[in-house]
Amino acid sequence: THTHTHHKYCHIIMGKAKRTRSFASVKRLISTKDPRLAKNKEKEEKERNAKPDVTVMGEEVKHLEQASSALFFHYNTQLGPPYHVLVDTNFINFSIQNKLDLNTAMMDCLYAKCTPCITDCVMAELEKLGRKYRVALKIARDPRIQRLPCLHKGTYADDCLVERASQSKCFIVATCDRDLKRRIRKIPGVPIMYITQRKYSVERMPDAFGAPPT
């Protein structure tokens, strides 16, 4: 009987030890300090940040919290180069008055390849202005200028440019219109090109810290 009790006691102790050992090993596996867990968490975070929220005209648009424009460029990889520049009616007119070729003057300003873009709305506005603006219309029809179709109703060019710049973060907006500039400045991270001292300059652009104030 004594031997039987001794075996039973040993069995209980071993069982306890075994249970404690297995519990410890589980605990070791799920330790919060485990580098594998940290690596997985990091990977999940990267995937979550990289995941696009919206798609506009086939382009991925990432949702970002509103921040200062300088900080925005830290994330904005869609901007270029080559830079896509949305031009409005008065920008073309002032370019003619200052004897500036759109493509050449944009490259001189940004030191990179630029593609001037014109929306259907801006084109319609130029066509409505008649013979006085025929030179501007001829420039707007230049094959080097990319035509962007408009799918919305109405032809108010400023609203069209503000909406496009808000939806797709890959544009610089070129305008000399004070009201339009004020509206564009409210959109985080969208640079504005304008004319000063017979050349193009740009504001809210990381490489253009020397751009004179408007």
Side-chain angles (χ1 to χ4, degrees):
T1 313
H2 177 73
T3 313
H4 179 69
T5 311
H6 177 73
H7 278 305
K8 197 175 178 183
Y9 179 70
C10 285
H11 180 70
I12 289 163
I13 288 174
M14 281 173 74
K16 265 190 182 175
K18 203 173 181 183
R19 272 201 300 278
T20 311
R21 213 170 27 249
S22 64
F23 176 71
S25 65
V26 170
K27 198 174 179 186
R28 195 162 59 243
L29 276 173
I30 58 165
S31 167
T32 50
K33 290 177 184 175
D34 194 305
R36 285 168 297 183
L37 279 180
K39 205 175 276 183
N40 285 347
K41 197 177 176 185
E42 206 176 295
K43 193 181 173 187
E44 278 171 18
E45 218 163 282
K46 269 186 188 173
E47 283 171 0
R48 192 163 59 245
N49 290 341
K51 197 178 177 187
D53 292 336
V54 198
T55 302
V56 177
M57 291 170 68
E59 292 172 4
E60 289 177 354
V61 178
K62 291 179 184 176
H63 173 71
L64 295 165
E65 293 300 318
Q66 191 154 344
S68 77
S69 55
L71 184 68
F72 188 89
F73 284 99
H74 184 64
Y75 305 102
N76 194 356
T77 54
Q78 296 184 3
L79 196 64
Y83 297 105
H84 290 79
V85 187
L86 282 173
V87 295
D88 76 344
T89 308
N90 75 16
F91 189 83
I92 297 172
N93 291 329
F94 279 113
S95 297
I96 294 164
Q97 285 173 30
N98 287 278
K99 296 179 173 61
L100 293 166
D101 173 77
L102 287 179
N103 288 73
T104 310
M106 282 178 186
M107 282 183 73
D108 290 345
C109 175
L110 293 171
Y111 305 107
K113 184 173 165 52
C114 299
T115 306
C117 303
I118 193 160
T119 65
D120 285 347
C121 282
V122 174
M123 193 64 96
E125 201 173 69
L126 280 168
E127 284 165 356
K128 279 180 197 168
L129 292 168
R131 285 182 61 77
K132 195 182 170 187
Y133 293 90
R134 65 184 185 277
V135 180
L137 195 58
K138 191 182 174 186
I139 288 167
R141 286 176 176 155
D142 187 313
R144 292 177 302 166
I145 295 179
Q146 191 179 325
R147 183 78 176 262
L148 300 175
C150 294
L151 304 171
H152 55 80
K153 288 178 182 176
T155 55
Y156 187 57
D158 285 11
D159 287 349
C160 171
L161 295 174
V162 169
E163 191 184 329
R164 211 174 274 263
S166 304
Q167 287 178 343
S168 191
K169 300 290 185 192
C170 62
F171 292 114
I172 294 168
V173 177
T175 182
C176 297
D177 184 274
R178 194 175 290 173
D179 290 333
L180 181 56
K181 279 200 266 190
R182 198 178 293 125
R183 289 174 71 184
I184 297 295
R185 284 187 194 114
K186 289 176 184 172
I187 309 164
V190 177
I192 300 166
M193 188 176 279
Y194 57 99
I195 299 168
T196 181
Q197 296 165 356
R198 294 190 174 274
K199 65 179 194 294
Y200 294 164
S201 192
V202 69
E203 65 174 70
R204 293 167 50 155
M205 189 82 173
D207 297 329
F209 296 121
T214 46

